Amino acid sequence: MIKPLCIAALVGLSLTGCATFEYGTPYAPVQAVPDKATVVVYRAKAGFLAPLGKAPMPFEVDGVAQGALNPDSFRTLHLAPGDRLFNARSGVIDLRRRADLVAGAVQFVRGSCYYVLTEAFCKLEPVEASVGQAEVAGLRESVGSR
């Protein structure tokens, strides 16, 4: 009985030590830039039973890599206004979402993944500013992943 328990503990410890996350400053409300669209892309909490959902989530805008979102983190982007294609990867799933960005406005895009094998539980979606502002308030900037 002790041997299977020890093996389970070692496997659990090895899975949790696979990723190291780098975080920057805590979120502070951002100001809109007059000639650019300000977009705050953030990552909602991963589900308790989704260990792969806790890995860094690479994302891009119009095919240009923007970095990776670590769990419970955000990135602020200043982009040209217009129709943009956001894409994030979670496991084998591409989460594509179009958004019409408006100059001089702050917009929020939430990425979440609760299970990595189906798109039904992985989402990349624009959210209302009041919701985004509240959800990002406790997060820290994602500055990289290893």
Side-chain angles (χ1 to χ4, degrees):
M1 179 66 183
I2 292 176
K3 188 175 181 179
L5 185 60
C6 290
I7 291 172
L10 287 174
V11 169
L13 288 173
S14 67
L15 288 175
T16 59
C18 291
T20 302
F21 305 120
E22 292 181 43
Y23 293 98
T25 58
Y27 177 76
V30 294
Q31 299 297 318
V33 177
D35 60 340
K36 297 280 185 181
T38 302
V39 181
V40 178
V41 182
Y42 66 98
R43 176 106 177 258
K45 289 187 179 290
F48 177 70
L49 296 175
L52 293 177
K54 295 177 182 174
M57 180 188 289
F59 75 101
E60 56 191 41
V61 178
D62 293 334
V64 177
Q66 301 294 325
L69 285 174
N70 294 318
D72 305 321
S73 70
F74 73 94
R75 296 286 299 265
T76 302
L77 308 172
H78 299 286
L79 304 169
D83 186 39
R84 300 282 169 252
L85 177 63
F86 286 79
N87 186 34
R89 254 177 223 88
S90 179
V92 296
I93 297 171
D94 280 345
L95 307 170
R96 298 177 190 275
R97 174 66 91 159
R98 289 210 162 273
D100 189 22
L101 304 181
V102 179
V106 178
Q107 294 169 274
F108 291 83
V109 175
R110 174 178 52 211
S112 58
C113 196
Y114 301 101
Y115 187 66
V116 296
L117 298 177
T118 173
E119 284 189 56
F121 296 99
C122 292
K123 295 181 170 78
L124 187 65
E125 57 192 339
V127 296
E128 290 185 33
S130 60
V131 173
Q133 194 81 265
E135 291 182 342
V136 177
L139 305 182
R140 296 182 72 86
E141 183 180 22
S142 181
V143 295
S145 61
R146 291 186 222 167

